[in-house]
Amino acid sequence: MLTRAGWARVVPFGLFMILLAVRGYLPPDNAWLDPRWVYGLSVLIVGGSIAFFWRDYSELGGPARLDLKQAVIALVVGAVVFKLWILLTEPWMMLGRPTATFRPVDADGQLQWGLIAVRWVGAALLVPVMEELFWRSFLMRWIDNPDFEKVDPSEVSPKAMLLSTLVFMLAHTQWLGAVVAGLAYALLYRYTRSLWAAVVAHAVTNGVLGIWVVVYGNWQFW
């Protein structure tokens, strides 16, 4: 049985995955809803659920701040993961194809900045908080102890890091990139004992990736 703290980390992630599936299976040419705007709906619904549970995220409130050293490390880790993410794309490094790709262009190939803004805000600001709360704060520690809040990040076992990263990998098309990212964020959380460090690194990865995708038109990464 999950505690309220557990549900607070599971519910936003579950909502996001459900809406991701909806976006992936909606026909792109349906007349009543452009599937790309489902991502905007995800930002509102998932963001609202995080706001609702905010008091239950003890690791993100009050004194849970980064010092300068931790912030610099997080920025560097995030940048390195971004670089590796765009390099680890050989066919054998992939698990199938994405079911919900995102191309914010109109029929004439012109950029749709409203869609781009929604996608970037979701990927760079919402997803890092939601995923780190679920993958690292909850699942990784829960593997060691169902009463996960009692597990100090610095005492997370290698088994928990590996197993949680394996599941994290299965949720991404780029399986090798996901392994690298998952382990990097997990080790950062373990080393700094700050979930904000993992959130910041994840945000840097996704934020820089989003800018790179738009500048070069590499929509397959979105």
Side-chain angles (χ1 to χ4, degrees):
M1 179 68 70
L2 287 179
T3 62
R4 179 182 170 87
W7 284 115
R9 289 157 174 79
V10 170
V11 168
F13 179 79
L15 289 172
F16 184 83
M17 295 304 291
I18 289 170
L19 290 165
L20 179 66
V22 169
R23 181 163 63 92
Y25 287 103
L26 275 177
D29 56 351
N30 73 87
W32 62 278
L33 178 63
D34 185 332
R36 295 173 299 179
W37 283 109
V38 175
Y39 195 90
L41 188 63
S42 300
V43 172
L44 292 176
I45 292 175
V46 177
S49 69
I50 290 174
F52 177 80
F53 286 117
W54 189 257
R55 292 182 180 179
D56 297 287
Y57 305 139
S58 57
E59 293 171 287
L60 297 181
R65 297 186 179 92
L66 290 175
D67 60 31
L68 180 59
K69 178 182 177 181
Q70 291 172 335
V72 170
I73 293 173
L75 291 172
V76 171
V77 169
V80 170
V81 171
F82 155 72
K83 185 62 176 180
L84 292 174
W85 189 269
I86 64 174
L87 292 176
L88 299 177
T89 56
E90 293 297 323
W92 65 270
M93 302 174 184
M94 312 293 283
L95 290 173
R97 295 182 178 180
T99 58
T101 53
F102 195 94
R103 289 177 56 86
V105 295
D106 61 21
D108 298 322
Q110 299 299 307
L111 296 176
Q112 295 181 285
W113 288 103
L115 285 171
I116 289 171
V118 166
R119 183 67 171 88
W120 191 89
V121 167
L125 303 181
L126 176 71
V127 168
V129 175
M130 173 203 71
E131 288 204 345
E132 294 311 313
L133 282 168
F134 178 76
W135 295 113
R136 260 59 72 177
S137 175
F138 170 67
L139 184 62
M140 187 168 71
R141 295 192 295 168
W142 181 85
I143 290 171
D144 279 338
N145 183 351
D147 193 357
F148 69 96
E149 290 184 290
K150 292 183 178 179
V151 179
D152 188 284
S154 64
E155 297 176 354
V156 169
S157 69
K159 169 189 170 183
M161 285 194 293
L162 289 172
L163 288 179
S164 60
T165 298
L166 175 62
V167 184
F168 179 75
M169 175 198 78
L170 295 175
H172 294 79
T173 304
Q174 292 176 239
W175 72 265
L176 187 54
V179 168
V180 170
L183 287 177
Y185 302 148
L187 287 168
L188 184 61
Y189 179 40
R190 192 177 191 273
Y191 171 72
T192 63
R193 300 178 64 218
S194 170
L195 190 64
W196 274 119
V199 169
V200 168
H202 201 152
V204 169
T205 301
N206 287 10
V208 176
L209 178 66
I211 295 171
W212 178 81
V213 164
V214 173
V215 170
Y216 293 101
N218 291 317
W219 308 118
Q220 70 273 20
F221 286 89
W222 259 13

